[in-house]
Amino acid sequence: MSPSSARAVVNLDLPGATISRHLYGHFAEHLGRCIYGGFWVGEDSDIPNEGGIRLDVVEALRALRIPNLRWPGGCFADEYHWRDGIGPRDQRPRMVNTHWGNVEEDNSFGTHEFMALCELLGADPYVNGNVGSGTVREMSEWVEYLTRSGDSPMVALRRANGREEPWKVPFWGIGNEAWGCGGNMRAEAYADLARQYATFCRDHGDNKLYRIAAGANVDDYDWTEALMKSFGCDGCAGSKGGPFQAVSLHYYTMTGTWDDKGHATEFTDDDYYLTMVNARRIDELLRRHSTVMDRYDPCGKIGLVLDEWGTWWNVEEGTNPGFLYQQNSVRDALVASLHFDAFHARADRLVMANIAQTVNVLQAMILTDPDSGALVLTPTYHVFEMNVGHQDAASLAVHVDAPARDVNGVDLPLLSASASTKDDTALISLSHLDASSSRTVVLDLRGRDFTDYSARVLTASTLQAHNTPDDPDSVAPRPLDGIRLHDRGLELDLPPHSYTTVSLQLQP
Ligand code: AHR
């Protein structure tokens, strides 16, 4: 293989695990301008809204077919008391958001507003309950308020607040980061507490909760092991008593330290390559946490949920350090595409993933201008949009033969790929990581014939390129020219630092 070429072999006739659409999930916390200013502007705003929810944001996100939305945190979840966020808005109690900027929270966006947002997005709600500073009764009543029909104290309260019918809430988180902001607990102590809380999160009527325990940080395999010991199935004959369907995991990509995480748009090629190595680490983390889970749950009944992932850079100059507002460049887009390759490969155990966060916080899809209200789609948004076809498709085995670059002693393959098939179509994702050179790639397409093909590419002249209200399409997908038939399939020239999707129409 010459250094300027690469090959990806795709077995079109060997479909594997289904790539759940929930791997393309999202996360919206009461943090900075994610909810307030991002999703929510209030009914009196000049920005077009429905019941206070920004319609331009909803419209942009609908194109991503967001499958689920996690709310209200994050760290905020463990200091959130849901009863403060219902009833007439002008009578809702205020609180201090101690995690994120010490700002006042007026609770104007609460349960009803969140459920309305999910309905507008067409997304399943993933509500994260409060273990750290809430009670078992409080969590139990929230589930009842949301999901019960007929007559009960919580149903009566919901009706008094204007909602007759219960909502469907499939996903329920039992606390967040219990090892840290969620209570600084030991794994065994949290496991016991979580069993207790989860017991009282009932399935009301036909609403079946998928209960997600607060899982490990990065490579804390001991945490996963402690939870699995407590929750895992007993030889798959039945539950040992832990009423859980999943455990979570959090992993953020950064290059520096927590005190200096690096700049979002000012970085060197070395910083970039290190970021790619760190992003690819997700594959090892998913594999090793899954291995621990396999020991206690060999039949895979308990799911792994990566409910926080993405890049974490220093905040943009002049913004509140507690608001986690960062720009988003071509580098971020490639972090996302590498994660998706890993998700597709691990789709057997990984059942859900939620990027942090959807609007104005960390690796966002959308940035809104606080003054003009203008909305910008980030390069990461475009990766999600280009990947919509992978949702609920069957993963295909892909083998990549590409040159690698040594990054501080670690081999970084300069091409990453994944593929899926659905309804006689195939979608192939190609992340070309070389910072400066283009590369000719042969797609060796085996097992099925194709009748049509097209390709789209996302890149820009620099890795640091990003979108702003003045230049909103600096990084946006365009058709990839010059794709050609090859005796093994297709051949295409990938620009440096680019993300490409190839769509195939397969012979039935
Ligand atoms: O996403 C920002 C924060 O990162 C979340 O609130 C917390 O769970 C994690 O540490």
Side-chain angles (χ1 to χ4, degrees):
M1 182 76 21
S2 102
S4 61
S5 59
R7 186 167 69 119
V9 181
V10 184
N11 295 292
L12 294 167
D13 59 341
L14 294 177
T18 299
I19 298 168
S20 167
R21 65 184 179 284
H22 291 294
L23 300 186
Y24 285 86
H26 284 258
F27 172 33
E29 182 166 11
H30 287 237
L31 194 179
R33 295 191 298 110
C34 182
I35 296 294
Y36 298 110
F39 281 112
W40 176 258
V41 285
E43 283 160 320
D44 299 333
S45 172
D46 290 340
I47 296 176
N49 66 83
E50 188 168 319
I53 296 167
R54 277 186 82 141
L55 286 174
D56 52 355
V57 167
V58 167
E59 190 191 325
L61 293 175
R62 281 184 71 87
L64 304 187
R65 298 205 205 139
I66 290 191
N68 67 75
L69 185 62
R70 177 175 182 241
W71 172 85
C75 294
F76 182 78
D78 281 299
E79 65 177 357
Y80 182 65
H81 299 284
W82 69 272
R83 279 178 182 254
D84 295 349
I86 56 172
R89 283 194 204 106
D90 58 357
Q91 291 167 33
R92 294 185 190 175
R94 291 161 184 262
M95 65 176 285
V96 177
N97 188 336
T98 61
H99 284 294
W100 306 119
N102 258 319
V103 292
E104 192 181 80
E105 160 71 54
D106 70 2
N107 279 305
S108 48
F109 188 92
T111 297
H112 290 249
E113 290 77 13
F114 173 65
M115 298 307 290
L117 171 62
C118 288
E119 278 171 6
L120 285 173
L121 292 172
D124 285 338
Y126 170 7
V127 176
N128 207 121
N130 177 348
V131 170
S133 69
T135 63
V136 176
R137 176 176 178 175
E138 183 181 359
M139 196 186 288
S140 171
E141 289 183 342
W142 200 6
V143 176
E144 181 183 326
Y145 185 91
L146 282 159
T147 62
R148 195 173 173 87
S149 56
D151 196 18
S152 82
M154 289 305 113
V155 173
L157 183 59
R158 186 186 70 226
R159 288 198 178 120
N161 288 326
R163 172 79 188 194
E164 178 67 28
E165 294 303 320
W167 289 281
K168 282 268 176 279
V169 180
F171 303 114
W172 197 272
I174 311 290
N176 169 71
E177 297 194 350
W179 39 263
C181 65
N184 284 307
M185 294 177 224
R186 292 177 310 108
E188 292 75 15
Y190 167 72
D192 283 347
L193 208 52
R195 292 169 71 110
Q196 183 190 353
Y197 275 72
T199 302
F200 294 94
C201 291
R202 308 288 191 196
D203 288 339
H204 293 284
D206 60 359
N207 190 74
K208 298 275 172 276
L209 287 182
Y210 190 81
R211 297 170 192 79
I212 301 163
N217 191 31
V218 192
D219 55 0
D220 187 354
Y221 303 110
D222 291 343
W223 185 278
T224 299
E225 174 133 32
L227 297 195
M228 291 305 296
K229 247 186 209 163
S230 174
F231 308 155
C233 76
D234 190 1
C236 302
S239 166
K240 258 191 198 165
F244 282 89
Q245 285 70 51
V247 297
S248 72
L249 168 67
H250 289 178
Y251 176 60
Y252 285 98
T253 300
M254 55 180 84
T255 49
T257 61
W258 278 104
D259 289 335
D260 183 8
K261 299 182 261 323
H263 198 283
T265 53
E266 290 166 22
F267 53 86
T268 64
D269 279 1
D270 285 346
D271 296 331
Y272 159 72
Y273 282 121
L274 184 58
T275 309
M276 295 301 109
V277 167
N278 292 344
R280 275 176 57 89
R281 192 174 170 215
I282 188 58
D283 189 63
E284 177 194 329
L285 295 170
L286 294 176
R287 178 171 48 80
R288 294 188 60 184
H289 282 285
S290 299
T291 302
V292 174
M293 295 175 75
D294 288 345
R295 276 209 289 280
Y296 297 91
D297 173 30
C299 300
K301 282 187 175 175
I302 295 190
L304 181 60
V305 169
L306 180 71
D307 55 13
E308 288 185 30
W309 69 271
T311 54
W312 196 323
W313 310 123
N314 293 339
V315 299
E316 288 298 302
E317 218 173 293
T319 65
N320 186 327
F323 281 14
L324 310 187
Y325 176 80
Q326 64 188 40
Q327 250 299 351
N328 195 296
S329 71
V330 172
R331 174 175 65 163
D332 294 81
L334 291 168
V335 168
S337 63
L338 290 182
H339 275 71
F340 289 131
D341 286 346
F343 295 175
H344 300 163
R346 306 273 162 217
D348 49 350
R349 180 68 83 164
L350 187 69
V351 297
M352 192 195 297
N354 304 74
I355 192 164
Q357 299 189 8
T358 317
V359 191
N360 289 333
V361 169
L362 298 175
Q363 191 174 352
M365 309 301 105
I366 291 176
L367 301 176
T368 64
D369 188 284
D371 302 320
S372 67
L375 169 156
V376 160
L377 306 180
T378 66
T380 300
Y381 172 97
H382 293 302
V383 174
F384 273 75
E385 186 275 319
M386 291 166 80
N387 274 17
V388 161
H390 286 305
Q391 293 190 17
D392 289 334
S395 179
L396 290 170
V398 181
H399 299 278
V400 172
D401 183 12
R405 180 187 173 97
D406 177 87
V407 182
N408 304 337
V410 176
D411 265 355
L412 173 70
L414 292 172
L415 181 68
S416 174
S418 63
S420 68
T421 185
K422 185 167 54 177
D423 303 334
D424 292 327
T425 65
L427 183 64
I428 302 167
S429 293
L430 300 165
S431 299
H432 181 222
L433 305 184
D434 197 313
S436 47
S437 305
S438 58
R439 180 160 276 104
T440 300
V441 173
V442 171
L443 284 184
D444 191 336
L445 302 170
R446 300 185 180 182
R448 284 185 75 175
D449 292 331
F450 57 92
T451 54
D452 202 3
Y453 58 89
S454 61
R456 295 164 80 203
V457 64
L458 181 75
T459 191
S461 54
T462 69
L463 268 163
Q464 293 76 9
H466 53 276
N467 296 332
T468 63
D470 292 335
D471 194 0
D473 294 321
S474 171
V475 190
R478 58 178 169 76
L480 180 75
D481 298 328
I483 182 166
R484 49 207 177 266
L485 288 168
H486 181 275
D487 57 5
R488 291 190 171 278
L490 292 169
E491 191 174 59
L492 56 170
D493 302 315
L494 299 183
H497 52 260
S498 60
Y499 178 61
T500 299
T501 50
V502 179
S503 301
L504 302 177
Q505 187 62 51
L506 301 174
Q507 190 100 55

